[in-house]
């Protein structure tokens, strides 16, 4: 997670993970998600695998993936969702459920203990207001997930806030226009703040 988020596109799933993020442990166990990704990548023809991921990201997050070149998707998708851990997903859903940008709650690990049994238990939040490193914030105007207004209220004054209106979550890395639209700005910021 990189900030507090608004929620999932599918209300019933959003409600389930807000009630108990550990439902992800029940569905996927405690290991890496790679086994599931590799299984579907092996079983499905490439075009169907790509279509399934496009549909899934639209269904879950409201991302349409239109800025990523179709010919690049098979290669990107074969790696993108492979190496995440189940714990990372649970952390993401903890952020969603708690409505704060907090650290992973190992008191709520699905192993029979629960933070609900500790009345005074509070998950430490990331102290964003204490960051003294220059921050540039790039975000997509078509990405419904991050709560950008909240994030901006938590950060000391960023050196740059850039909204790319047509971009979604993954476009900053993979959009066909990113090398022309985003990367030059990043290089300029690195030169400016690293004295390159």
């Amino acid at each position: 997670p990189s900030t507090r988020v608004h929620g999932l596109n599918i209300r019933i799933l959003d409600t389930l993970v807000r009630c108990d993020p550990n439902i992800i442990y029940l569905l996927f166990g405690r290991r890496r998600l790679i086994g599931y990704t590799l299984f579907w990548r092996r079983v499905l023809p490439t075009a169907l695998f790509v279509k399934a991921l496009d549909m899934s990201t639209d269904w879950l997050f409201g991302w349409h993936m239109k800025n990523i070149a179709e010919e690049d998707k098979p290669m990107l998708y074969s790696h993108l969702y492979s190496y995440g851990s189940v714990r990372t997903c649970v952390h993401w859903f903890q952020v969603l459920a708690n409505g704060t940008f907090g650290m992973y709650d190992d008191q709520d690990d699905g192993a029979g203990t629960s933070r609900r049994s500790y009345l005074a238990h509070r998950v430490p939040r990331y102290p964003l207001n204490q960051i003294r490193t220059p921050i540039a914030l790039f975000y997509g105007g078509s990405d419904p997930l991050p709560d950008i207004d909240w994030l901006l209220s938590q950060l000391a004054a960023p050196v740059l806030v850039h909204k790319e209106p047509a971009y979604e979550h993954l476009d900053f890395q993979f959009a066909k226009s990113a090398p022309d639209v985003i990367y030059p700005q990043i290089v300029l910021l690195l030169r400016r703040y690293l004295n390159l």
Side-chain angles (χ1 to χ4, degrees), residues 111-185:
T113 61
S114 173
R115 71 181 184 283
R116 291 174 197 87
S117 63
Y118 302 96
L119 295 178
H121 177 68
R122 296 267 190 256
V123 178
R125 294 181 183 180
Y126 290 110
L128 299 177
N129 60 343
Q130 295 177 15
I131 298 173
R132 298 295 173 242
T133 305
I135 295 175
L137 178 64
F138 292 80
Y139 69 99
S142 296
D143 186 357
L145 275 183
D147 188 343
I148 297 299
D149 293 333
W150 176 86
L151 181 59
L152 287 170
S153 75
Q154 300 298 305
L155 294 171
V159 296
L160 173 72
V161 176
H162 177 84
K163 175 181 178 180
E164 193 59 37
Y167 270 29
E168 296 173 332
H169 202 75
L170 300 174
D171 291 338
F172 291 90
Q173 288 180 291
F174 303 124
K176 52 190 173 242
S177 62
D180 299 320
V181 176
I182 302 300
Y183 299 170
Q185 293 183 66

Side-chain angles (χ1 to χ4, degrees), residues 52-66:
L53 283 176
D54 276 346
M55 290 173 59
S56 297
T57 55
D58 187 16
W59 187 68
L60 288 170
F61 308 119
W63 301 338
H64 304 296
M65 312 301 268
K66 302 255 188 252

Side-chain angles (χ1 to χ4, degrees), residues 8-138:
L8 296 174
N9 206 31
I10 303 301
R11 290 290 149 220
I12 190 152
L13 187 57
D14 186 73
T15 302
L16 281 173
V17 297
R18 283 179 192 268
C19 289
D20 190 357
N22 291 315
I23 196 167
I24 303 304
Y25 284 131
L26 292 173
L27 294 173
F28 298 108
R30 298 188 166 277
R31 299 183 180 202
R32 294 173 294 161
L33 293 173
I34 190 170
Y36 299 102
T37 306
L38 293 177
F39 169 78
W40 289 112
R41 192 172 73 194
R42 268 192 312 269
V43 170
L44 297 175
T46 302
L48 191 54
F49 180 71
V50 167
K51 184 68 175 165
L53 283 176
D54 276 346
M55 290 173 59
S56 297
T57 55
D58 187 16
W59 187 68
L60 288 170
F61 308 119
W63 301 338
H64 304 296
M65 312 301 268
K66 302 255 188 252
N67 296 316
I68 300 173
E70 291 298 321
E71 62 272 12
D72 292 341
K73 287 182 180 182
M75 185 270 304
L76 294 172
Y77 288 1
S78 68
H79 299 287
L80 185 62
Y81 299 105
S82 298
Y83 299 101
S85 69
V86 175
R87 183 176 171 170
T88 299
C89 290
V90 170
H91 181 208
W92 195 86
F93 288 127
Q94 287 175 348
V95 168
L96 180 65
N98 294 328
T100 62
F101 184 42
M103 298 177 187
Y104 176 75
D105 184 2
D106 58 357
Q107 295 292 324
D108 190 11
D109 66 358
T113 61
S114 173
R115 71 181 184 283
R116 291 174 197 87
S117 63
Y118 302 96
L119 295 178
H121 177 68
R122 296 267 190 256
V123 178
R125 294 181 183 180
Y126 290 110
L128 299 177
N129 60 343
Q130 295 177 15
I131 298 173
R132 298 295 173 242
T133 305
I135 295 175
L137 178 64
F138 292 80

